Amino acid sequence: MSVLEVERLVKKFGGVAAVREVSFSLGEGEILALIGPNGAGKSTCFNMLNGQLRPDSGRIRLLGRDTVGLSPRQVWRRGVGRTFQITATFTSMSVRENVQMALLSHHRRLYALVPLAARQYREEAERILDLVGIADQAERSCGVLAYGDLKKVELAVALANEPRLLLMDEPTAGMAPRERIELMALTADIVRKQGISVLFTEHDMDVVFTHADRIMVLNRGELVAEGAPQAVREDPLVKQIYLGAGHA
Ligand code: ADP
Ligand code: MG
């Protein structure tokens, strides 16, 4: 069964079509990469999928249900996690409290119960922090964390929602090459074990080719190639418009 089905998605800004008739589907547990040069429309696609932008036309079905018109929060409620949104972490709270808040939200508790958060879901939060490798940072304030560790907190927050689908728009932006390779390997390991589907984009082609089951190439708002990593890598059109453009 498809986790995500996208049909003829269109988004225009003024007269310019940023995304033109994009259609694809994402299978259960599949890791799908969306690549393309700067300005190709990747972020616009992500923002339509996560509820931040409303498409001009087209259809988005998540687990068989339409999501066009839902708010980002409602999309999150349907089991879509977004990594890695720096602003989503509360810098004044500890690492563990951030994950506990996400667990409270996922389990539909009211934010009015915040004082109780210190006790609720503590063990579950610690289990998730252990999974992403930052259990030793649990008591530290997020405001003082190294950038790479903050990214892991954000991954933990996304996992607390028990997502069926993770949307990752340049998740490792701003990280050093070795760190980004590590974070993507960690993420891929976790999602594979948990059967979470992933749509991601990433500048580092080694990361893309290492972790993607399938790759789609977007150029000027249109999907121009799609297939297994090796086939996409060897596609002459892809070489010309993308890899030849200095992104390899
Ligand atoms: P990518 O993520 O692939 O680099 P984007 O989706 O950010 O590409 O942008 C696709 C095109 O849409 C670009 O030409 C960009 O300038 C334009 N665009 C994106 N967001 C907006 C916006 N909010 N208003 C106007 N134009 C936008
Ligand atoms: Mg972008």
Side-chain angles (χ1 to χ4, degrees):
M1 180 198 161
S2 290
V3 169
L4 180 68
E5 284 168 74
V6 173
E7 275 172 48
R8 307 181 65 145
L9 218 50
V10 174
K11 184 71 193 178
K12 292 179 182 151
F13 295 111
V16 184
V19 172
R20 312 166 190 228
E21 307 266 332
V22 164
S23 303
F24 67 91
S25 66
L26 177 59
E28 187 107 43
E30 189 178 25
I31 300 184
L32 177 60
L34 179 64
I35 65 171
N38 276 332
K42 303 181 297 294
S43 293
T44 304
C45 281
F46 277 96
N47 291 335
M48 287 191 278
L49 297 175
N50 68 34
Q52 281 190 306
L53 269 182
R54 197 189 170 107
D56 294 335
S57 60
R59 221 170 158 200
I60 302 169
R61 286 169 75 77
L62 178 73
L63 301 168
R65 293 165 75 193
D66 284 297
T67 66
V68 169
L70 298 186
S71 68
R73 186 166 178 80
Q74 288 168 321
V75 174
W76 157 276
R77 284 267 187 245
R78 297 253 180 115
V80 178
R82 263 199 291 160
T83 65
F84 296 86
Q85 299 264 307
I86 279 292
T87 50
T89 60
F90 298 96
T91 51
S92 63
M93 290 197 294
S94 77
V95 167
R96 179 169 43 72
E97 284 165 345
N98 263 285
V99 180
Q100 283 176 280
M101 288 298 288
L103 288 164
L104 279 166
S105 171
H106 175 55
H107 294 287
R108 313 269 198 289
R109 304 298 170 93
L110 296 173
Y111 278 92
L113 297 176
V114 165
L116 290 178
R119 274 169 279 140
Q120 285 180 317
Y121 302 112
R122 185 185 172 117
E123 280 173 22
E124 198 176 342
E126 282 167 359
R127 185 186 58 77
I128 297 170
L129 289 173
D130 195 41
L131 192 65
V132 302
I134 47 168
D136 58 334
Q137 311 270 346
E139 303 306 324
R140 298 185 76 198
S141 156
C142 278
V144 302
L145 289 190
Y147 190 63
D149 285 340
L150 203 49
K151 295 273 187 187
K152 290 180 185 170
V153 179
E154 292 172 343
L155 176 58
V157 165
L159 292 172
N161 189 42
E162 297 185 279
R164 296 289 300 274
L165 167 64
L166 275 184
L167 299 174
M168 308 196 299
D169 186 0
E170 297 193 29
T172 65
M175 297 177 83
R178 211 193 52 178
E179 250 192 339
R180 62 167 66 185
I181 287 166
E182 274 173 20
L183 183 63
M184 281 309 292
L186 173 74
T187 306
D189 185 46
I190 293 170
V191 299
R192 294 238 185 253
K193 280 182 186 142
Q194 302 197 0
I196 299 168
S197 305
V198 174
L199 179 69
F200 81 108
T201 186
E202 167 64 52
H203 275 301
D204 187 322
M205 283 302 112
D206 285 339
V207 168
V208 169
F209 287 111
T210 303
H211 297 296
D213 297 317
R214 190 157 59 97
I215 298 176
M216 300 188 295
V217 184
L218 198 62
N219 190 44
R220 296 169 192 259
E222 280 179 307
L223 279 184
V224 293
E226 185 261 309
Q230 199 54 37
V232 168
R233 200 202 284 266
E234 285 162 10
D235 187 312
L237 181 64
V238 174
K239 280 186 184 165
Q240 188 191 331
I241 63 163
Y242 188 73
L243 301 173
H247 291 276

